Every structure is written in C-alpha cells, then in structure tokens.
Amino acid sequence: MNEEPRYNRLYYQSTTVHSQLIDIVGETATALSEVQAPIDWHALFGNARPIEIEIGCGKGRFLLEASKRHPERNYVGIERAHKYVELTRERFQKHIRHHEMLSEKKPIADQVAGAFTNVRLVWTDATYFLMGYVPTESVQAYHIYFPDPWPKKRQRKRRIFRNQDFLASLARTLTTDGRLHIVTDYAEYFAELQERISQRTPLHRVTLELPPEQHHIPTSFELKYLAEGREIYRVVYEKR
C-alpha cells in the first residue's frame, strides 16, 4: 500500500467543487472557482498586514481569539468539513451579536467597530488551497492544531503530513522567518510529522521565548483533552 499518496489536480478539483471563500462580517460567500489565483492578500483584506493561516479551524475558537488579540494581523481559516465551517460562522456571529447588544447599553462601539474584518474562512481542502491559491512567500505563520491522526494502519496514508504536495506548499508559501505551529495529543503521529518535516522541508525546529501558557490560544480540542488529562505535544518550525 502506498503510504505517501500523491493526488493530481483533477482529484482536488473533483473533491472541492463546493469550495467557498467566506467573509464572516460581510456575510458573503464566493465560490473559490471564481476567485483569481493566486489570491492577492492586499486586495482581499484591503491592507498589507501579515497573513496567518489556520489549517483545520474546527469550531473556530483559535481563529476568533487570535483575530481579537491581534487586529494587526490577517487570519485565514481553512476547513474541509462543512459542519465545522458553519459552527465557526455561528461562533463569530454570536460574538458579534453579543457585543452589538452591549454597545446599545454602554459606549463600547469603538471597541467592536471593525472587529473580524481581518478574518476569512475557506471551505475547501487545505492542500488544494495552498497549491493553487496561496502566493509564494506570503504567509507569516501556519497553525495546525490537532490534525486528524488517522490511527488505523490502513488510514494512515490520509495523514496530511504524509502528503508531499502539502509539505512542499508549506515551505513555498511561508515567508523567510515564517513559522509553522503544530499541536497534537497523538505521540506516534507527533514523532512521524517531525521526522517528515525535518527530512523533506527547509523548516527548522525552534524554541519559543515564552512558555505555551503565555502565548498559546487553546482550541476546543485542547481544552477537552487537557480536562481528560491527556499529554499535549507542541512544536514550532521556522523557515530560514
């Protein structure tokens, strides 16, 4: 069995016909097939702020908190599962409605004005998006938190870090000094992905200046696993 599958563009196109680029604040969705590739980030966001991409944004907790803390950055969340795309949209809309209600009671409108204009969602396959839509050396950071470990032996070929097209796209699209942040609770997969990244990309492991609790935003999965007492594994790579 091929443990390092390679997919052609026809495969990606046939499995991503539903793909959309979503503006949460504007409540608009554009078919990805209608978006000019590669994407002009400056035109998309209306500014030249650094781009950070979360691959597999799940229920959107990290994406929401990161975009709130860092309005000086632009965030793109990629998610293949439609149910999680909808959950992320609902999380953002609920947050927006909550602050709109508060702004009617006290003068905090200036604090929420423009909130989340620095966020876009992409409903599609991550490798397909990186290969076809992300410009070379245009991403300051990637965030990949709790990627599906596909634990059964016959399923392991589906692991995203076994896809050479994906690894090559990460390396191509990161800026010099750009970083790749990875978190997982699966020790065997953690060891595997580190080996593949070190052997097949120009990315180098780095040590962060601050401990995780001082700079890391936990996802919904992480909060759940910590409550269950699971071990959490973290690593950061940098393109040099």
Side-chain angles (χ1 to χ4, degrees):
M1 182 180 293
N2 187 357
E3 294 187 351
E4 297 182 13
R6 294 180 65 89
Y7 306 106
N8 58 33
R9 290 186 179 276
L10 181 60
Y11 165 82
Y12 287 121
Q13 290 170 356
S14 65
T15 57
T16 55
V17 292
H18 58 266
S19 299
Q20 294 180 344
L21 176 64
I22 301 166
D23 182 340
I24 297 175
V25 175
E27 298 188 47
T28 60
T30 305
L32 201 55
S33 59
E34 298 177 6
V35 177
Q36 185 174 354
I39 291 175
D40 182 339
W41 298 125
H42 193 162
L44 179 66
F45 287 101
N47 58 63
R49 297 168 185 161
I51 301 295
E52 300 199 9
I53 295 179
E54 183 185 13
I55 294 176
C57 56
K59 298 178 182 179
R61 187 179 191 279
F62 169 82
L63 201 61
L64 186 144
E65 293 300 326
S67 59
K68 280 169 52 181
R69 292 188 192 182
H70 302 287
E72 76 284 0
R73 306 175 192 173
N74 293 323
Y75 288 89
V76 178
I78 305 173
E79 177 56 59
R80 183 166 186 167
H82 184 251
K83 68 175 183 178
Y84 286 124
V85 172
E86 290 305 308
L87 285 171
T88 297
R89 293 178 70 170
E90 290 173 9
R91 181 185 290 271
F92 274 86
Q93 292 299 330
K94 182 178 180 180
H95 190 86
I96 291 171
R97 289 194 299 270
H98 173 72
H99 282 283
E100 285 177 344
M101 292 175 60
L102 289 179
S103 66
E104 295 176 358
K105 300 178 180 180
K106 53 185 178 181
I108 64 166
D110 289 342
Q111 297 180 30
V112 297
F116 307 132
T117 56
N118 63 332
V119 181
R120 296 293 186 277
L121 284 180
V122 184
W123 175 26
T124 195
D125 177 88
T127 302
Y128 172 70
F129 185 71
L130 268 61
M131 289 175 60
Y133 288 89
V134 180
T136 298
E137 297 188 351
S138 68
V139 179
Q140 185 66 40
Y142 278 104
H143 303 269
I144 306 179
Y145 300 138
F146 300 92
D148 196 328
W150 295 105
K152 296 181 180 179
K153 188 173 182 179
R154 68 176 183 274
Q155 298 175 332
R156 290 176 188 173
K157 65 179 182 179
R158 301 182 186 180
R159 291 176 172 178
I160 195 167
F161 286 99
R162 288 199 179 187
N163 189 329
Q164 184 57 39
D165 291 331
F166 175 72
L167 292 176
S169 295
L170 285 178
R172 176 184 63 81
T173 56
L174 273 173
T175 61
T176 301
D177 297 331
R179 289 183 169 182
L180 167 62
H181 302 257
I182 305 170
V183 180
T184 180
D185 67 312
Y186 209 81
E188 182 267 336
Y189 191 18
F190 186 60
E192 176 185 304
L193 66 84
Q194 289 183 87
E195 180 180 359
R196 290 178 179 271
I197 291 172
S198 64
Q199 291 180 352
R200 307 182 185 213
T201 75
L203 308 182
H204 299 268
R205 183 169 179 170
V206 296
T207 301
L208 294 181
E209 298 78 12
L210 297 174
E213 61 271 13
Q214 292 187 31
H215 63 77
H216 179 65
I217 299 171
T219 66
S220 298
F221 275 126
E222 182 166 350
L223 293 175
K224 174 184 176 182
Y225 295 157
L226 285 172
E228 294 174 356
R230 296 196 197 184
E231 185 76 21
I232 303 298
Y233 307 94
R234 313 172 194 275
V235 66
V236 179
Y237 288 88
E238 187 174 86
K239 181 177 177 180
R240 297 175 183 172

